[in-house]
Amino acid sequence: MARKGAGVGRWRDGTGTLRVLGGARGAEEGVNEGARDRVRGGGAGRAEGIPLVIAASYRARARGLLGRDGLTGALLLTPASGVHTFRMRFAIDVAYLDRRLTVLDVHTLRPGRLGRPRLRSRHVLEAEAGALERWGVRRGVRVAITPGPSAPPPPSVR
C-alpha cells in the first residue's frame, strides 16, 4: 500500500510492477517518453512493466535473495539503505532509491560482497547482474512502483 504523493508510503510484502520513467539524464540523452516506457528487455518495444517482489517486513528483507538461483524481474527492499551478497549464489545489480524513487546510485555486486550504505537511500532495488542497465535504470532516473496483491499474513502462533 502506498500513500499519496511521489514517494513511497508503507508497503506490505507482496508483488507489484516496476516501471522506469526516466529523468534528467534520459531527457539530455534524447530518450523520448515512449521509449522510456518500453525499457524492458533492452527496449524491445514492450510496454508492460517489470515484475517486482516487495520485501517490506523484517523477515522478508532479511531473506532477500538468499537461497535463490536467479530472479525474474526485481526485488524491492523497503526500507533499506544498504545490502550484502553473503551466501548468495549469483551476482546482482543494486539500485539505491531515495524517498521520491529517484535512483541515487547503481552498482553490481558479486557474491560475498558488502555494499556501502547510501545516506539518502530509503529503498534498494535488486535484480540479476546486467538487468538494470537493460531496463535503463541509472543515476538520476525515476521509477514508479505499482503494488499488486499483498502476501497473506503469516499464520498466527497459538
Side-chain angles (χ1 to χ4, degrees):
M1 167 185 284
R3 71 176 173 211
K4 293 179 182 177
V8 175
R10 295 180 184 256
W11 293 96
R12 294 186 180 161
D13 294 343
T15 60
T17 304
L18 173 74
R19 295 192 187 281
V20 180
L21 302 177
R25 292 181 80 188
E28 291 169 3
E29 294 171 7
V31 177
N32 65 31
E33 296 221 6
R36 279 187 289 228
D37 290 341
R38 293 187 300 268
V39 186
R40 182 170 188 265
R46 298 180 182 164
E48 72 272 8
I50 299 155
L52 182 70
V53 175
I54 300 170
S57 68
Y58 175 79
R59 182 179 218 171
R61 288 191 318 267
R63 167 150 179 156
L65 296 174
L66 295 177
R68 296 188 191 194
D69 291 323
L71 174 67
T72 301
L75 172 70
L76 177 73
L77 302 171
T78 180
S81 61
V83 296
H84 68 83
T85 58
F86 301 123
R87 297 182 10 220
M88 288 191 57
R89 299 177 182 167
F90 58 98
I92 61 170
D93 283 345
V94 177
Y96 299 90
L97 310 175
D98 68 8
R99 65 181 72 231
R100 296 184 62 209
L101 300 179
T102 301
V103 178
L104 300 172
D105 210 355
V106 178
H107 288 282
T108 300
L109 294 176
R110 295 189 321 248
R113 303 288 188 236
L114 177 65
R116 288 185 315 151
R118 299 304 189 271
L119 210 60
R120 293 182 5 236
S121 177
R122 298 294 181 262
H123 318 283
V124 174
L125 189 64
E126 297 180 346
E128 285 192 12
L132 295 183
E133 184 178 349
R134 284 193 313 272
W135 298 333
V137 177
R138 62 189 178 280
R139 182 181 292 179
V141 167
R142 292 208 41 206
V143 298
I145 297 169
T146 306
S150 295
S156 60
V157 177
R158 293 184 183 212

